[in-house]
Amino acid sequence: DVKVTQSSRYLVKRTGEKVFLECVQDMDHENMFWYRQDPGLGLRLIYFSYDVKMKEKGDIPEGYSVSREKKERFSLILESASTNQTSMYLCASSFNNEQFFGPGTRLTVL
Amino acid sequence: EDQVTQSPEALRLQEGESSSLNCSYTVSGLRGLFWYRQDPGKGPEFLFTLYSAGEEKEKERLKATLTKKESFLHITAPKPEDSATYLCAVQAAGDYKLSFGAGTTVTVRA
């Protein structure tokens, strides 16, 4: 069974803080993704990575950066958190076009 | 730009009352259309991939079909445990990413 884990289920941060969201997959998948999910908007792609140290911007990369130093780990970084980044963040890894999702991190920025 | 529209936004069914969810899409060369199920507070769980018009896939009480412009997810004789949000996504040819619809939330009453 593919397992995608995310470092926190719930996170509360203050405006201006630097925030790290970690994602680990255990199936040696090449591709990893970060999405945010907001009511009525569905899942929107922030960044994705198709190999170690390789990354590409998704549809809404502004205010975010990513890091992929090892194949199994993909980190999402909020350099200076803002209230409009309050959301559910979902990580996924993929094999043969099928994406497997982690449980999500609900981030609240106060 | 790829677009995915799901309807209705919400669907309330009586146990045993069959119904269909719609996913309309526009994409420049379809690589695949995906259906996911998402329970509250959890990440999406993969259900089906459809690759070409006319293709059908089934899993328990769920059946997904695909035309050149839309996909339907048919729920036959639903049970309360089928209550969830169902997400549709498309992948364009030569692309890594998925573009998601906003989802249809299905509630099945006993």
Side-chain angles (χ1 to χ4, degrees):
Chain A
D1 250 9
V2 176
K3 194 159 186 184
V4 180
T5 57
Q6 296 184 227
S7 49
S8 306
R9 290 302 307 274
Y10 300 94
L11 210 51
V12 179
K13 295 292 181 181
R14 298 251 176 228
T15 302
E17 279 193 79
K18 190 168 186 175
V19 181
F20 293 87
L21 302 181
E22 304 283 338
C23 175
V24 178
Q25 50 97 0
D26 66 356
M27 285 300 291
D28 203 37
H29 287 171
E30 300 286 341
N31 304 323
M32 296 187 74
F33 306 80
W34 274 106
Y35 295 89
R36 63 177 284 176
Q37 185 175 30
D38 301 288
L41 296 178
L43 277 76
R44 292 179 291 165
L45 183 66
I46 304 171
Y47 267 97
F48 67 100
S49 168
Y50 50 91
D51 202 350
V52 175
K53 296 190 186 291
M54 306 300 287
K55 60 188 179 187
E56 280 203 28
K57 293 179 181 179
D59 298 319
I60 51 164
E62 296 79 18
Y64 304 93
S65 62
V66 290
S67 171
R68 193 160 180 210
E69 296 295 320
K70 293 185 178 181
K71 193 174 187 179
E72 67 270 19
R73 188 179 299 269
F74 191 34
S75 303
L76 181 69
I77 303 154
L78 287 66
E79 294 290 340
S80 176
S82 63
T83 54
N84 63 13
Q85 293 178 309
T86 291
S87 186
M88 169 71 96
Y89 289 88
L90 290 160
C91 174
S93 69
S94 76
F95 175 73
N96 278 352
N97 303 323
E98 186 181 317
Q99 292 194 12
F100 300 88
F101 284 85
T105 296
R106 186 162 292 283
L107 172 68
T108 302
V109 182
L110 302 174
Chain B
E1 185 180 319
D2 304 336
Q3 285 199 323
V4 181
T5 304
Q6 292 188 246
S7 62
E9 286 185 21
L11 192 58
R12 294 176 67 86
L13 301 172
Q14 201 66 35
E15 185 172 4
E17 179 188 359
S18 301
S19 189
S20 295
L21 284 55
N22 178 265
C23 172
S24 298
Y25 66 90
T26 56
V27 64
S28 52
L30 181 69
R31 187 175 190 181
L33 184 140
F34 302 81
W35 282 98
Y36 286 83
R37 170 195 169 120
Q38 187 175 24
D39 293 302
K42 295 188 176 181
E45 176 189 341
F46 172 79
L47 292 173
F48 304 108
T49 309
L50 301 167
Y51 293 104
S52 57
E55 190 174 358
E56 298 183 353
K57 294 248 176 105
E58 284 190 67
K59 181 179 181 177
E60 295 180 0
R61 294 176 293 282
L62 300 177
K63 179 179 176 180
T65 62
L66 180 65
T67 73
K68 288 187 177 179
K69 293 183 179 180
E70 56 192 352
S71 177
F72 292 93
L73 184 66
H74 308 278
I75 310 178
T76 301
K79 298 182 177 182
E81 52 262 42
D82 295 321
S83 297
T85 296
Y86 292 88
L87 301 171
C88 172
V90 297
Q91 185 179 35
D95 205 347
Y96 290 103
K97 68 174 191 175
L98 299 183
S99 297
F100 281 84
T104 294
T105 300
V106 174
T107 305
V108 182
R109 296 165 291 175

